[in-house]
Amino acid sequence: MNIKIKDHNLIIGGGILIFLLLIMGVSFFYLPHSVTEINTKLKLSAPSFSYFLGTDNFGRDILSRLMKGSQTAFLVGLISVGIGSSVGVFLGAISGYFGGKIDEIIMRITDAMMAFPGILFALMFISVFGVGIENTMMAIGIMSIPTFARITRSGFLREKELEYTKAAKVRGASNFRIIYYHILPNVLSPIIVAGTMSFSNAILAEAALSYLGLGVQAPNPSWGRMLSESQMYFMIAPWYTLAPGLMISLTVLALNMMGDFLREYQRR
């Protein structure tokens, strides 16, 4: 199907996402100011030509910290979705293809995982293994495993009964070849859509954990941590709170719009 100009989710979501990725890309090579240097004389300065988005309660440049924080947000999203999708797709493929007791065991495990609210599981995980970005990514990745497992299982249950799968078995193809070379490519579309949605959920989860002081640790910038540090200054320096809140909102909006577009495109 051709992509029409009326696909607003693609145009708006894709445009915002490209803009955010450009900000992240630039942050690897250039930042207007240091993200950690403290200058109390500039504490809570209003936006100006020198400090485009103003400064925080330590006199640090908010724009530079937002740019640096974009690296954290996208890194957490990428790694956590990578963990969740790789493990979830593997379990879902094994469960859907072989069925029987294997399917029953895997599905009961995923049911048990889904019984816990995601953020509660992340809090439990971090309380056991400690705070930090590595454990944050691991916790968020584990949270997303059941979603990928169920979607993959559903696709395999459908595809394994089709003629091309049966023909591959008759030709003597191994289970491994049937799973990864015949069935998996045909169930990738819903997995990709789930990955897009999980990416936005991961960024939100990281922001929430950092807001609670359990994610990225100071002085490293994180949008969630910036939001937490700025809330008590909202009345006197609203730009301090609005900047990280807007970045989180725009990122999640863009990813959700792209996910909606991919879902609709898949149905055409």
Side-chain angles (χ1 to χ4, degrees):
M1 289 289 181
N2 292 326
I3 298 175
K4 300 179 180 179
I5 196 67
K6 294 182 179 179
D7 289 318
H8 301 300
N9 285 334
L10 174 64
I11 297 171
I12 299 174
I16 295 173
L17 191 58
I18 290 172
F19 171 71
L20 294 171
L21 288 173
L22 284 174
I23 289 177
M24 183 190 67
V26 170
S27 70
F28 284 104
F29 307 101
Y30 169 76
L31 292 171
H33 300 277
S34 170
V35 298
T36 57
E37 184 178 351
I38 295 174
N39 187 347
T40 55
K41 294 181 180 179
L42 297 173
K43 176 181 177 181
L44 300 177
S45 297
S48 63
F49 287 109
S50 298
Y51 296 91
F52 189 68
L53 294 179
T55 61
D56 63 10
N57 55 312
F58 292 104
R60 299 171 299 192
D61 180 41
I62 293 176
L63 176 59
S64 299
R65 290 180 65 78
L66 285 178
M67 293 173 66
K68 191 69 174 180
S70 66
Q71 298 179 17
T72 301
F74 282 98
L75 176 65
V76 170
L78 184 64
I79 299 299
S80 60
V81 170
I83 294 171
S85 60
S86 57
V87 177
V89 169
F90 174 78
L91 293 177
I94 298 300
S95 177
Y97 183 78
F98 291 104
K101 291 184 177 180
I102 294 177
D103 180 33
E104 188 71 19
I105 292 171
I106 293 176
M107 285 302 101
R108 295 299 74 79
I109 293 174
T110 58
D111 287 343
M113 293 176 66
M114 295 183 73
F116 285 93
I119 194 67
L120 177 60
F121 173 82
L123 290 172
M124 293 171 58
F125 186 92
I126 291 174
S127 67
V128 173
F129 295 100
V131 299
I133 188 171
E134 295 83 3
N135 289 335
T136 298
M137 291 188 292
M138 184 64 68
I140 297 172
I142 294 173
M143 284 163 47
S144 64
I145 289 175
T147 299
F148 288 102
R150 286 188 168 276
I151 291 174
T152 305
R153 174 182 178 270
S154 176
F156 268 75
L157 288 174
R158 179 183 66 252
E159 297 292 326
K160 76 175 184 179
E161 301 299 331
L162 298 182
E163 294 300 324
Y164 77 91
T165 304
K166 296 178 180 179
K169 289 182 179 179
V170 171
R171 292 197 302 268
S174 64
N175 289 329
F176 177 85
R177 185 171 186 81
I178 293 173
I179 290 173
Y180 288 99
Y181 292 96
H182 292 276
I183 299 180
L184 186 58
N186 291 311
V187 301
L188 279 180
S189 293
I191 295 173
I192 292 173
V193 174
T196 305
M197 296 300 186
S198 295
F199 202 106
S200 66
N201 291 336
I203 290 176
L204 269 180
E206 184 277 323
L209 291 171
S210 294
Y211 179 87
L212 296 173
L214 300 174
V216 177
Q217 298 300 296
N220 298 316
S222 163
W223 295 341
R225 188 169 186 87
M226 291 176 68
L227 200 59
S228 175
E229 294 172 346
S230 67
Q231 62 182 358
M232 66 180 65
Y233 304 105
F234 179 73
M235 298 305 295
I236 59 175
W239 59 86
Y240 187 8
T241 303
L242 293 175
L246 184 61
M247 291 296 286
I248 295 171
S249 300
L250 284 176
T251 305
V252 173
L253 174 65
L255 289 169
N256 284 341
M257 292 183 77
M258 290 301 296
D260 289 340
F261 165 74
L262 292 173
R263 185 185 295 109
E264 292 299 321
Y265 187 73
Q266 178 187 342
R267 294 173 181 171
R268 295 175 187 176

